Amino acid sequence: MGARIRPIAQVVNVEMIDEVLRAEALATKGFMPPDEGDALYAAACSACKILPQLPIVEVGTYCGRSTVWLGAAARKYNTIVFSVDHHFGSEENQKGWEWFDESLIDPATNRLNTLPSLLATLHRANIGDVVVPVVGESKVVSAQWSEKLAMCFIDGGHGDEPARNDYLGWSPKIALHGFLAIHDVFTDPKDGGQAPYKYIYCAAIDSGEFIEVDMTGSLRILQRIK
Ligand code: SAH
Ligand code: MG
């Protein structure tokens, strides 16, 4: 599973999110850089054009930052985003870790809870009608999921096991010519954790079922070819 160099086919047409919604995305807590959010939006628009009416699944909602870009694409193409998260945060979001945010602690449980922030984001961005929050463990949800997807965006747990589970659970749901978008893909360990690269990106390419069609920062867009 070494780094690979291959030509990137340009199937992702560049469409730009509405400025007001972009401002809402940027005002939302989270981890999606602006240029990668714009690329995610463009990919979602392409996927919706290729596979009209099929929904989008996002794994890893947090407070809904990337969700705003996806919701904007869903609104434009008359489809729905299901955004999956247990809302307890990943390992790196917990107390004592690099990405801990004290303000997201629920005083009732003394535990992280990003669901209230997500609901506030959906309200503020006015996308509550096109985004359906799915509150649960990704593996449990994917096991029950039967509808084909135009696109699946994986940005959930970044450990080896959650990354593997997300690939195994969600990639079979992507329709032919649909997109698998993966965040935090780092080919070099000095840039970040390797699980999304190894267990999602490389697994998808090595399966022969996906080709890479776009790349912006750590965001990779793959397309199902068989
Ligand atoms: N896409 C977000 C960032 C997601 S952070 C943004 O743009 O800001 C990763 C999220 O994945 C966290 O909110 C965490 O709760 C969720 N997560 C991690 N492992 C999960 C699992 N196994 N099932 C469901 N959600 C999970
Ligand atoms: Mg991420």
Side-chain angles (χ1 to χ4, degrees), residues 22-186:
R22 188 173 197 268
E24 293 297 352
L26 298 180
T28 305
K29 275 185 193 189
F31 307 103
M32 181 55 63
D35 59 330
E36 296 175 39
D38 291 342
L40 184 69
Y41 175 80
C45 289
S46 286
C48 292
K49 274 192 278 196
I50 294 167
L51 293 159
Q53 314 294 308
L54 290 192
I56 295 169
V57 161
E58 169 175 63
V59 181
T61 323
Y62 196 62
C63 301
R65 185 176 166 100
S66 46
T67 318
V68 177
W69 274 283
L70 293 174
R75 147 99 7 92
K76 184 165 180 191
Y77 287 97
N78 196 26
T79 187
I80 295 288
V81 178
F82 293 93
S83 190
V84 181
D85 200 311
H86 48 45
H87 287 283
F88 296 134
S90 298
E91 200 178 25
E92 63 272 20
N93 305 127
Q94 307 305 320
K95 200 176 179 125
W97 289 72
E98 192 180 357
W99 303 108
F100 175 62
D101 182 337
E102 178 89 54
S103 70
L104 296 172
I105 293 288
D106 177 354
T109 58
N110 199 27
R111 196 174 175 185
L112 206 78
N113 178 9
T114 52
L115 183 57
S117 297
L118 168 67
L119 296 178
T121 302
L122 299 184
H123 179 74
R124 210 172 15 83
N126 195 24
I127 52 171
D129 57 334
V130 289
V131 175
V132 178
V134 180
V135 181
E137 160 63 44
S138 173
K139 190 178 174 181
V140 173
V141 179
S142 66
Q144 300 299 323
W145 195 272
S146 51
E147 187 166 12
K148 285 289 179 195
L149 305 176
M151 172 157 143
C152 182
F153 171 51
I154 302 184
D155 190 21
H158 288 0
D160 293 358
E161 193 164 332
R164 258 197 225 109
N165 287 339
D166 282 342
Y167 175 70
L168 293 173
W170 289 106
S171 66
K173 320 291 181 187
I174 299 167
L176 183 63
H177 300 145
F179 288 176
L180 169 61
I182 315 159
H183 200 227
D184 302 303
V185 172
F186 301 109

